[in-house]
């Protein structure tokens, strides 16, 4: 799984957030008051304008205090009935049809069908639900105003808060019902789609391979569901197949026959312990990894046959947690400068080191492995290891007693083959704590979608308090687009992406100047263009960072690649989404309150 | 009928009222519609001063575009005044809490067509925060009052205009309001429906409720209203009790019985000397239609605000 932005520590994050919140509230309130006053002053003059704003704020407090649950739920129920009348179930029908015909366009020979199926169901549910939320939330209030049905509502003792909250709750109820149905159907679709059976094909024979030169009992399964596995028997009664298409099977002797069990490992929810990564360069000094020429600088590379190493430091490594040792999972990339034996993985080594430089035993003996490209490789690091003393003698050591320092240990990965490179980013190597429950993780993925739906609905209803249906929809859509391209915009503003702002880009297009050359329009015009562009980008930046980061809310990748969605990540998302919900609702309330619904 | 009659109608039937009796009050209420750029489009209401007292049926009259609907919308808080004040129960029209005591029947029944009559009334009952049992009783009561028992489970989109109007009326009464604002209450009703609506309005007054209605249908207004205000082009042209407004003051009607032909001849002399048994002696009344047309014609010939009679 790629994780471009590290997940922050929840305690740090919430501390920062709570510290920032009061400042934000003050700025938000001051800005709101100022803008309200400005608009009011233009219409009525400064004194009356000030009085009007104060009156609106005063009645807002009364409205919020008098918000009734019964009225809010009545509005919510109306929104549900309205949604059903507007045939929202069509969205669900589309989803079912998409799933029915999924077999036509999903690659049956995919290397990792589990990942493919999961990405597919999660992504399609995500987009369908967001589109649904977009349409429901943005057209409802404007339609009421256009049809004047709002007249019979606002002439009742209904508060603006109830109108907005009722709508959000109503549409979320409909959306939630549809999302739950999608979640259940998707789950069945994925589980059934990945389920298949194999039989043992032919005989189990004694074979000798390079990795197990002493020979083992091996055989093949039948070719089903577009693949077959190699069986390796541990003893006469049990064995396991290799991993093909992201899963393996257990093999057991039942009676006289060997039976291949159901697929395992395709639907995982790994609970992992992540470490922090640093690099050693080819002379063994602290440094950075090598860029092998990929534009996407996510992974750095270490050169084989040198002292270059990637060093992960893990915390919390104690004997209580891992009584027998721990599972280390590696998802390394390989960059070959020469072909070598293409059938074979590039060899490397894992060394466990004590971070305490004064320790008696600094390092275990290297454990060699062959890198599996494009799939996750699991290495079990046992409790008992061989280590080299400072005087060079090899002895047996205990992982936790001798190689950890206050629960901290280092994992050094080096590439052994000269001229070949290993590529890695921090999330590529981790300690596997255990395998979480996939169904729960799948549900958590849908909670991420639900939170996105909440934000779209909130923004939709918020915009519809002062915009007409189609315009409100475009505005809400814009927030989604900005949210999905947030990183791009931030890169553009920060100058990470070359090419400048809109005016500079236009000049470059017209003069056919590429992005790297300086603007050739004279010194003064360049200054003007850069100044205007910078102001535009500043404004864009403010908008972008104020709007929700939809891409960051998507946890599809976690579920699809089989990683547990960490509770802290989920908690942060929930807090973020509800913060947007609260503030957008307040803004919407003021727009509705100060709007003449009969105008 | 003399033209001066309408203009010079004297104040009659004016009662001393305390401030607490005033249910609706507008002070210098004005509304200017502006376009997106803030440019003045229409001056819909010009400095309206009105008082509606508790227990009366007050009619707002005027041709299309005279500002009747604007006034009602300002009183409901659907529009905000450009200047002046609109007070309902002594509260500003933008105060939501005033709605607890108000019932409003809009010009057309703007209701949710996908709900049936019961659901509609139940929904509006919830908006008044009424508990479920109170709501159920009230819904049943209102549905039978407006005669929709047979159609209570049908969606409103299947309703005729008259039926929709009845549901609209029922929703306006769901909270047993003290003040009822009716925008064109009889439009779309057949003669029987119109009669029933008028009876109901009078019944509401008997229950001590205040009714503020606006209408084009002069006969209806004449039948039910205690007092009327006539608006034209946003200006108040006439305000007073219906009976006094319609009185033709320069003319006296005499009715007598048991007089011979000779006596009839004599009567002129007798009456001239103040004598004989007068069974009735009154001013004849004109129709509201005539009064209305006079005002409109006069106003168009001589634009400008005219001081209305004071009751």
């Amino acid at each position: 799984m790629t994780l471009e932005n590290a997940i922050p520590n929840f305690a740090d994050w919430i501390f920062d957030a709570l510290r920032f919140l009061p400042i934000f509230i003050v700025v938000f309130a001051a800005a709101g008051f100022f803008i309200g006053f400005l608009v009011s002053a233009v219409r009525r003059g400064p004194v009356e304008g000030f009085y009007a704003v104060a009156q609106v704020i005063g009645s807002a407090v009364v409205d919020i205090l008098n918000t009734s649950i019964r009225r809010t739920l009545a509005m919510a129920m109306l929104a549900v009935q309205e949604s059903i009348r507007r045939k929202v179930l069509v969205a669900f029908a589309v989803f079912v049809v998409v799933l029915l015909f999924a077999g036509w366009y999903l690659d049956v020979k995919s290397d990792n069908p589990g990942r493919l199926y999961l990405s597919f169901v999660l992504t399609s549910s995500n987009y369908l639900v967001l589109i649904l939320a977009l349409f429901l939330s943005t057209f409802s209030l404007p339609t009421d105003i256009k049809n004047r049905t709002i007249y019979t509502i606002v002439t009742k003792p209904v508060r603006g808060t109830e109108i907005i909250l009722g709508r959000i709750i109503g549409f979320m109820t409909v959306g939630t019902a549809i999302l739950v149905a999608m979640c259940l159907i998707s789950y069945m679709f994925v589980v059934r789609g990945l389920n298949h059976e194999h039989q043992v094909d032919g005989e189990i024979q004694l074979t000798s391979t390079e990795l197990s030169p002493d020979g083992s009992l091996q055989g093949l399964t039948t070719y089903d569901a577009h693949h077959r596995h190699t069986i390796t028997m541990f003893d006469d009664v049990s064995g396991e197949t290799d991993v093909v298409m992201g899963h393996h099977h257990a093999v057991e002797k039942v009676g006289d026959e060997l039976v291949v069990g159901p697929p395992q490992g395709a639907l995982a929810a790994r609970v992992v312990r992540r470490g922090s990564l640093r690099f050693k360069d080819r002379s063994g000094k602290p440094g950075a990894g090598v860029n092998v020429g990929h534009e996407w600088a996510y992974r750095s590379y270490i050169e084989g046959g040198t002292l270059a190493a990637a060093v992960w430091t893990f915390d919390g490594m104690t004997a209580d947690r891992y009584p027998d040792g721990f599972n280390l999972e590696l998802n390394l990339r390989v960059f070959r400068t020469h072909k070598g034996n293409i059938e074979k993985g590039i060899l490397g080594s894992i060394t466990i080191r004590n971070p305490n430089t004064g320790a008696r035993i600094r390092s275990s003996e290297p454990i060699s492995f062959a890198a599996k490209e494009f799939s996750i490789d699991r290495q079990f690091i046992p409790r008992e290891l061989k280590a080299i003393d400072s005087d060079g003698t090899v002895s047996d050591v205990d992982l936790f007693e001798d190689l950890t320092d206050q629960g901290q240990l280092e994992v050094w990965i080096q590439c052994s083959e000269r001229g070949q490179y290993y590529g890695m980013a921090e999330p590529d190597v981790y300690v596997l704590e255990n395998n979480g429950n996939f169904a729960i993780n799948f549900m958590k993925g849908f909670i991420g979608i639900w939170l996105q739906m909440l934000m779209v609905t909130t923004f939709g209803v918020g915009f519809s308090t002062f915009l007409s249906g189609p315009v409100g929809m475009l505005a809400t859509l814009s927030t989604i687009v900005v949210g999905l391209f947030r990183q791009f915009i931030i890169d553009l503003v920060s100058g990470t992406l070359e090419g400048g702002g809109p005016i500079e880009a236009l000049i470059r297009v017209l003069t056919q100047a590429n992005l790297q050359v300086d603007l050739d329009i004279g010194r003064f015009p360049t200054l003007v263009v850069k100044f205007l562009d910078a102001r535009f980008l500043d404004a864009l930046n403010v908008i972008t960072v104020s709007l929700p980061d939809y891409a960051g809310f998507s946890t599809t990748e976690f579920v699809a690649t089989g990683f547990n969605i960490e509770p802290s990540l989920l908690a942060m998302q929930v807090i973020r989404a509800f913060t947007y919900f609260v503030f957008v609702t307040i803004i919407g309330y003021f727009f509705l309150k100060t709007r003449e619904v009969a105008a | 009928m003399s033209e001066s009659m309408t203009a010079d109608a004297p104040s009659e039937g004016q009662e001393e009222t305390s401030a607490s009796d005033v249910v609706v009050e507008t002070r210098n209420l004005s509304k200017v519609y502006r376009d997106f750029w803030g440019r003045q489009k229409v001056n819909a209401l010009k400095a309206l001063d009105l008082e509606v007292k508790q227990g009366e049926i007050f009619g707002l009259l005027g041709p299309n575009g005279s500002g009747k609907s604007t006034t009602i919308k300002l009183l409901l808080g659907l529009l905000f005044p450009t200047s002046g004040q609109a007070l309902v129960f002594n509260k500003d029209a933008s105060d939501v809490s005033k709605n607890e005591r108000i019932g409003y029947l809009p010009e057309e029944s703007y209701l949710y067509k996908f709900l049936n009559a019961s659901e509609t009334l139940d929904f509006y009952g919830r908006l008044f925060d009424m508990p479920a049992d109170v709501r159920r009783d009230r819904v049943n009561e209102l549905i039978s009052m407006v005669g929709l028992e047979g159609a209570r489970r049908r969606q409103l989109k299947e309703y005729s205009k008259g039926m929709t109007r009845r549901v609209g009326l029922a929703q306006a009464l769901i909270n047993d309001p003290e003040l009822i604002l009716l925008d064109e209450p009889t439009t779309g009703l057949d003669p029987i429906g119109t009669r029933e609506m008028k009876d109901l309005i009078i019944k509401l007054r008997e229950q001590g409720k205040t009714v503020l209605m606006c209408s084009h249908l002069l006969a209806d207004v004449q039948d039910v209203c205690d007092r009327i205000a006539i608006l034209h082009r946003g200006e108040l042209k006439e305000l007073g009790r219906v009976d006094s407004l319609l009185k033709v003051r320069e003319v006296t009607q005499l009715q007598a019985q048991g007089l011979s032909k000779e006596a009839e001849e004599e009567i002129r002399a007798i009456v001239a000397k103040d004598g004989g048994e007068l069974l009735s002696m009154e001013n004849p009344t004109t129709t509201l239609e005539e009064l209305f047309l006079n005002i409109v014609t006069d106003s168009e010939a001589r634009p400008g605000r005219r001081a209305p009679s004071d009751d």
Side-chain angles (χ1 to χ4, degrees):
Chain A
M1 185 184 64
T2 57
L3 199 64
E4 286 198 63
N5 299 312
I7 301 166
N9 179 297
F10 182 74
D12 294 346
W13 180 84
I14 195 81
F15 180 71
D16 276 355
L18 287 177
R19 215 176 35 173
F20 177 66
L21 190 68
I23 305 168
F24 176 73
I25 289 174
V26 169
V27 171
F28 177 78
F33 185 86
F34 181 71
I35 294 168
F37 173 70
L38 221 59
V39 173
S40 196
V42 167
R43 285 191 189 161
R44 303 151 183 261
V47 179
E48 255 198 272
F50 182 83
Y51 175 71
V53 174
Q55 201 187 17
V56 167
I57 292 172
S59 60
V61 174
V62 175
D63 279 0
I64 289 166
L65 293 179
N66 283 303
T67 297
S68 128
I69 294 174
R70 187 181 275 136
R71 280 196 291 263
T72 309
L73 292 183
M75 295 303 300
M77 212 168 75
L78 186 78
V80 172
Q81 281 166 311
E82 183 195 320
S83 311
I84 293 167
R85 180 187 62 106
R86 283 168 65 188
K87 303 188 173 56
V88 286
L89 294 174
V90 169
F92 182 65
V94 168
F95 179 71
V96 172
V97 169
V98 164
L99 282 195
L100 283 177
F101 294 96
W104 287 7
Y105 45 82
L106 284 183
D107 178 14
V108 288
K109 291 185 173 175
S110 159
D111 281 337
N112 196 338
R115 182 179 179 161
L116 180 73
Y117 276 42
L118 286 169
S119 305
F120 165 71
V121 291
L122 285 162
T123 312
S124 51
S125 310
N126 200 342
Y127 285 114
L128 271 173
V129 165
L130 291 195
I131 293 169
L132 179 76
L134 184 67
F135 276 92
L136 280 182
S137 61
T138 48
F139 280 93
S140 168
L141 200 52
T143 309
D144 255 17
I145 291 171
K146 202 174 124 201
N147 293 343
R148 300 179 184 183
T149 35
I150 193 89
Y151 287 13
T152 48
I153 304 288
V154 295
T155 52
K156 305 283 184 284
V158 179
R159 320 274 162 178
T161 43
E162 291 155 355
I163 294 177
I164 294 174
L165 284 179
R167 279 201 160 67
I168 296 176
I169 294 171
F171 296 139
M172 285 307 288
T173 306
V174 175
T176 307
I178 289 179
L179 200 60
V180 166
M182 281 179 173
C183 179
L184 291 174
I185 291 184
S186 300
Y187 185 77
M188 287 193 292
F189 173 79
V190 171
V191 170
R192 290 179 61 116
L194 294 179
N195 198 19
H196 59 274
E197 282 181 357
H198 294 284
Q199 267 89 43
V200 177
D201 191 17
E203 295 284 309
I204 301 287
Q205 290 170 332
L206 193 67
T207 52
S208 152
T209 65
E210 264 183 78
L211 278 173
S212 56
D214 50 335
S216 62
L217 281 169
Q218 288 199 322
L220 289 173
T221 67
T222 48
Y223 188 84
D224 297 293
H226 309 283
H227 68 285
R228 71 166 82 231
H229 298 264
T230 305
I231 303 169
T232 305
M233 298 301 292
F234 305 134
D235 47 41
D236 282 347
V237 289
S238 66
E240 202 179 38
T241 70
D242 60 347
V243 175
V244 178
M245 288 185 161
H247 68 275
H248 63 276
H249 301 259
V251 182
E252 256 183 37
K253 194 159 213 168
V254 178
D256 285 344
E257 269 185 77
L258 277 178
V259 177
V260 182
Q264 292 175 1
L267 301 174
R270 297 177 183 82
V271 180
V272 301
R273 177 175 297 274
R274 295 186 192 284
S276 61
L277 171 64
R278 66 180 201 276
F279 286 98
K280 299 278 179 189
D281 67 14
R282 63 198 313 264
S283 55
K285 297 198 182 84
V290 181
N291 186 340
V292 293
H294 293 166
E295 246 182 76
W296 189 40
Y298 174 64
R299 289 193 170 86
S300 296
Y301 286 74
I302 52 170
E303 192 180 341
T306 68
L307 291 173
V311 183
W312 275 266
T313 310
F314 292 99
D315 284 315
M317 303 298 292
T318 57
D320 310 345
R321 284 208 177 92
Y322 313 99
D324 304 320
F326 63 87
N327 274 309
L328 189 71
E329 287 200 332
L330 312 127
N331 183 19
L332 301 177
R333 293 290 180 273
V334 170
F335 179 75
R336 295 170 188 246
T337 56
H338 57 90
K339 194 166 142 195
N341 183 353
I342 205 75
E343 295 283 313
K344 242 181 63 187
I346 299 294
L347 293 173
S349 68
I350 301 169
T351 316
I352 309 298
R353 285 207 179 201
N354 192 329
N356 181 359
T357 47
R360 190 179 60 85
I361 297 159
R362 284 299 322 278
S363 158
S364 74
E365 270 208 319
I367 302 159
S368 67
F369 71 101
K372 289 185 183 172
E373 299 170 50
F374 312 113
S375 70
I376 294 173
D377 186 16
R378 186 181 298 173
Q379 296 289 333
F380 182 70
I381 310 292
R383 183 86 183 258
E384 291 86 27
L385 289 166
K386 298 269 184 220
I388 311 160
D389 277 3
S390 42
D391 56 8
T393 54
V394 177
S395 59
D396 288 327
V397 293
D398 182 86
L399 178 65
F400 297 109
E401 279 174 23
D402 300 312
L403 291 172
T404 58
D405 181 39
Q406 292 167 347
Q408 218 174 45
L409 65 74
E410 288 178 357
V411 174
W412 289 52
I413 289 178
Q414 286 174 294
C415 178
S416 310
E417 294 188 33
R418 189 164 287 279
Q420 312 290 35
Y421 291 77
Y422 278 170
M424 63 275 286
E426 197 167 84
D428 287 341
V429 172
Y430 49 84
V431 175
L432 182 69
E433 300 253 301
N434 56 55
N435 270 315
N437 185 324
F438 170 76
I440 290 175
N441 202 41
F442 188 70
M443 217 171 70
K444 285 192 216 162
F446 270 87
I447 292 175
I449 299 177
W450 188 87
L451 292 172
Q452 292 180 51
M453 180 169 75
L454 173 68
M455 285 186 298
V456 172
T457 307
T458 309
F459 272 93
V461 173
F463 279 121
S464 73
T465 55
F466 63 100
L467 295 175
S468 69
V471 181
M473 195 189 81
L474 273 181
T476 313
L477 193 63
S478 306
T479 66
I480 301 176
V481 171
V482 168
L484 290 175
F485 291 93
R486 182 189 177 93
Q487 195 56 48
F488 172 79
I489 295 171
I490 289 172
D491 286 349
L492 201 64
V493 174
S494 66
T496 316
L497 281 178
E498 287 175 278
I503 307 176
E504 185 180 334
L506 181 69
I507 294 169
R508 284 183 190 278
V509 168
L510 295 177
T511 58
Q512 300 189 350
N514 73 33
L515 299 180
Q516 278 74 36
V517 300
D518 286 334
L519 265 190
D520 190 18
I521 52 171
R523 197 165 150 267
F524 183 68
T526 306
L527 276 176
V528 173
V529 165
K530 294 244 181 209
F531 176 80
L532 292 176
D533 273 352
R535 298 294 79 74
F536 176 83
L537 289 176
D538 285 345
L540 193 64
N541 191 33
V542 170
I543 294 170
T544 309
V545 297
S546 320
L547 293 177
D549 175 13
Y550 283 98
F553 272 89
S554 174
T555 41
T556 309
E557 173 100 0
F558 280 80
V559 181
T561 50
F563 285 92
N564 182 47
I565 298 169
E566 289 159 35
S568 63
L569 177 66
L570 203 60
M572 283 185 251
Q573 291 187 341
V574 168
I575 293 170
R576 279 203 191 107
F578 276 89
T579 309
Y580 277 110
F581 165 71
V582 169
F583 282 97
V584 174
T585 304
I586 292 173
I587 297 173
Y589 164 80
F590 279 108
F591 272 112
L592 192 62
K593 176 94 188 162
T594 51
R595 176 178 184 166
E596 290 185 306
V597 292
Chain B
M1 189 190 309
S2 77
E3 204 187 58
S4 61
M5 173 205 74
T6 50
D8 304 327
S11 60
E12 226 181 72
Q14 189 178 13
E15 290 160 34
E16 280 302 311
T17 49
S18 65
S20 63
D21 282 343
V22 177
V23 175
V24 173
E25 189 182 358
T26 68
R27 293 180 194 154
N28 215 15
L29 188 65
S30 305
K31 179 67 190 172
V32 177
Y33 288 111
R34 295 181 190 279
D35 67 4
F36 179 78
W37 306 106
R39 289 176 303 192
Q40 182 169 332
K41 249 168 48 184
V42 188
N43 201 344
L45 198 62
K46 298 169 193 161
L48 178 70
D49 287 306
L50 266 188
E51 272 186 6
V52 178
K53 285 150 207 158
Q54 211 218 310
E56 70 176 347
I57 302 178
F58 191 94
L60 275 176
L61 272 147
N64 292 333
S66 59
K68 322 183 284 292
S69 272
T70 301
T71 309
I72 290 209
K73 284 173 186 166
L74 284 164
L75 286 171
L76 287 164
L78 293 171
L79 291 174
F80 304 145
T82 309
S83 65
Q85 265 189 311
L87 298 173
V88 179
F89 298 116
N90 258 325
K91 286 178 181 166
D92 193 85
S94 63
D95 189 336
V96 177
S97 65
K98 73 174 194 309
N99 294 350
E100 298 275 3
R101 299 155 74 186
I102 286 185
Y104 168 54
L105 173 67
E107 194 173 346
E108 279 166 48
S109 298
Y110 303 123
L111 302 168
Y112 293 95
K113 303 267 185 262
F114 52 88
L115 299 178
N116 64 37
S118 289
E119 286 168 343
T120 303
L121 296 182
D122 187 67
F123 167 65
Y124 288 110
R126 280 167 199 263
L127 296 188
F128 283 99
D129 223 345
M130 291 159 72
D133 49 340
V134 178
R135 226 158 54 219
R136 196 172 42 241
D137 293 347
R138 188 77 188 140
V139 169
N140 290 336
E141 189 186 322
L142 285 168
I143 282 186
S144 67
M145 190 195 92
V146 296
L148 285 172
E149 290 100 331
R152 62 186 296 166
R153 299 268 170 240
R154 276 165 60 192
Q155 287 195 335
L156 298 197
K157 63 182 174 198
E158 298 170 12
Y159 273 25
S160 70
K161 195 170 180 187
M163 288 161 88
T164 319
R165 206 86 192 119
R166 286 156 193 257
V167 184
L169 180 69
Q171 68 80 27
L173 298 176
I174 188 89
N175 56 329
D176 195 17
E178 293 165 49
L179 168 67
I180 300 127
L181 295 114
L182 306 169
D183 201 345
E184 307 285 351
T186 50
T187 19
L189 294 181
D190 57 20
I192 299 167
T194 307
R195 180 75 258 163
E196 284 171 354
M197 176 67 86
K198 287 197 276 196
D199 289 347
L200 182 88
I201 294 172
I202 290 165
K203 208 167 105 192
L204 289 171
R205 177 181 54 191
E206 284 163 8
Q207 291 168 5
K209 300 185 190 309
T210 314
V211 179
L212 173 60
M213 59 182 275
C214 73
S215 183
H216 303 107
L217 301 170
L218 303 172
D220 298 345
V221 174
Q222 188 175 359
D223 286 350
V224 297
C225 287
D226 299 318
R227 289 202 305 146
I228 54 166
I230 297 180
L231 294 172
H232 186 237
R233 292 186 181 161
E235 286 174 341
L236 180 65
K237 294 293 177 187
E238 192 63 79
L239 175 71
R241 291 195 62 81
V242 176
D243 43 15
S244 71
L245 285 177
L246 299 183
K247 203 157 277 177
V248 186
R249 304 209 170 268
E250 298 85 342
V251 184
T252 303
Q253 260 182 356
L254 248 134
Q255 271 188 310
Q257 74 176 32
L259 294 178
S260 64
K261 281 190 178 176
E262 295 77 21
E264 279 179 17
E265 283 302 313
E266 273 176 55
I267 209 160
R268 289 182 179 87
I270 294 164
V271 167
K273 284 195 238 164
D274 294 331
E277 189 194 359
L278 277 172
L279 287 182
S280 86
M281 182 173 156
E282 59 186 10
N283 304 109
T285 55
T286 177
T287 60
L288 186 57
E289 189 176 358
E290 258 176 284
L291 171 72
F292 181 78
L293 290 176
N294 271 332
I295 289 174
V296 171
T297 331
D298 182 51
S299 165
E300 270 165 6
R302 289 184 291 152
R305 192 172 154 77
R306 187 176 356 186
S309 52
D310 54 358
D311 58 344

